[in-house]
Amino acid sequence: MKKATHKNRTKQKPKKQTAQTTTNAKKTVKRNVLTNPKMPSKKRKKKRNKKRRKMLLLFGEIGLTLLVTIVVVYLLSLFTFSLAKVEGYSMSDTLDDKDVVVINKLKDIKRFDLVYMKVPNAKDKSIRRIIACSGESVYYKNGQLFINEEEKEERFIADYKSQFEKDGMMFTEDFTLKTLTGKSTIPKGKYLVLGDNRPYATDSRYYQLVDEKEIIGTVEMRILPLHKLQKF
């Protein structure tokens, strides 16, 4: 009986030792993790630094892109296009007060174009319509436009004009180029401009012809208000 007991004891001892060793090893690992948190924290710091660098680079690229875009748009605006706000009601019913339009500074000027210009002998700027160009004769008779003795239809004011005529009023008062300037034809580099709201507009009938140098550009489109978005 003693032998059997001794054998059983000797067999059970390694098992107890193995379990204790495993438990001790686990405790040692936990202690190492608790007492030496420096290794994982360093990795975290490296990851955080990498993320910060990436974010800084990203924001730097975005900022540089915006800066370049602003500079390019500004330079383009000096030579190619700009924005202008309509002031007053001289261009009604085509354009209304406070409308915002895009001005093309490179487009060639032709009859019936809307142009953004410096008002002669004034500091103001305004939008008017080209009616006659250099070398042309022009006059209005019974409210109708004649260029080089040929009648021209002004479709852009047709609806507004018909409303006035129904009330027995003349939409465009008769005049001739000679009564305005004393000349039979428009000199080179000059234009005759009128507002679309003829009864109330201040235009070439008051400040005579407009010099080509005073024209900033042509009106390409209306962008504001959005519900009136329109290309001309």
Side-chain angles (χ1 to χ4, degrees), residues 14-28:
K15 288 181 182 179
K16 287 180 181 179
Q17 287 176 354
T18 303
Q20 286 176 358
T21 304
T22 304
T23 305
N24 291 333
K26 286 181 180 179
K27 287 180 180 179
T28 304

Side-chain angles (χ1 to χ4, degrees), residues 158-213:
D159 294 337
Y160 210 17
K161 179 182 175 182
S162 62
Q163 292 175 13
F164 271 76
E165 291 177 345
K166 284 179 182 178
D167 296 331
M169 295 185 291
M170 187 73 73
F171 190 67
T172 306
E173 294 291 337
D174 292 350
F175 70 89
T176 66
L177 180 65
K178 198 155 190 176
T179 59
L180 290 180
T181 65
K183 298 178 181 180
S184 56
T185 59
I186 297 175
K188 186 178 180 180
K190 301 282 187 178
Y191 295 92
L192 185 138
V193 300
L194 296 178
D196 285 357
N197 191 4
R198 301 289 166 75
Y200 307 105
T202 302
D203 45 41
S204 286
R205 293 171 293 179
Y206 298 89
Y207 46 69
Q208 298 190 8
L209 303 178
V210 175
D211 195 286
E212 187 176 10
K213 295 178 182 179

Side-chain angles (χ1 to χ4, degrees), residues 43-56:
K43 290 181 180 179
R44 288 173 188 171
K45 283 180 181 179
K46 286 181 180 179
K47 286 182 179 179
R48 286 174 185 172
N49 290 333
K50 284 182 180 179
K51 286 181 180 179
R52 285 174 184 173
R53 286 172 188 170
K54 287 180 179 179
M55 292 297 290
L56 288 172

Side-chain angles (χ1 to χ4, degrees), residues 80-158:
T80 58
F81 70 90
S82 61
L83 299 179
K85 183 183 285 188
V86 179
E87 295 183 3
Y89 299 92
S90 290
M91 290 305 296
S92 299
D93 200 34
T94 306
L95 293 171
D96 295 319
D97 186 43
K98 307 302 181 184
D99 286 355
V100 178
V101 295
V102 177
I103 307 299
N104 185 341
K105 297 181 180 180
L106 300 179
K107 186 179 177 182
D108 293 332
I109 300 169
K110 61 182 185 296
R111 185 185 300 116
F112 297 150
D113 277 348
L114 294 173
V115 294
Y116 184 53
M117 50 170 247
K118 298 176 183 177
V119 178
N121 304 316
K123 295 181 180 180
D124 299 330
K125 296 176 184 177
S126 63
I127 294 173
R128 295 292 183 268
R129 192 179 294 274
I130 298 289
I131 299 299
C133 306
S134 58
E136 296 179 333
S137 63
V138 54
Y139 64 89
Y140 276 84
K141 185 177 181 179
N142 297 325
Q144 297 298 317
L145 170 63
F146 289 84
I147 302 286
N148 296 333
E149 300 297 331
E150 183 180 346
E151 185 176 346
K152 298 292 183 181
E153 187 177 357
E154 299 178 284
R155 296 177 182 176
F156 43 86
I157 58 171

Side-chain angles (χ1 to χ4, degrees), residues 28-38:
T28 304
V29 171
K30 286 182 180 179
R31 284 174 187 171
N32 289 334
V33 172
L34 292 171
T35 56
N36 296 314
K38 292 182 179 179

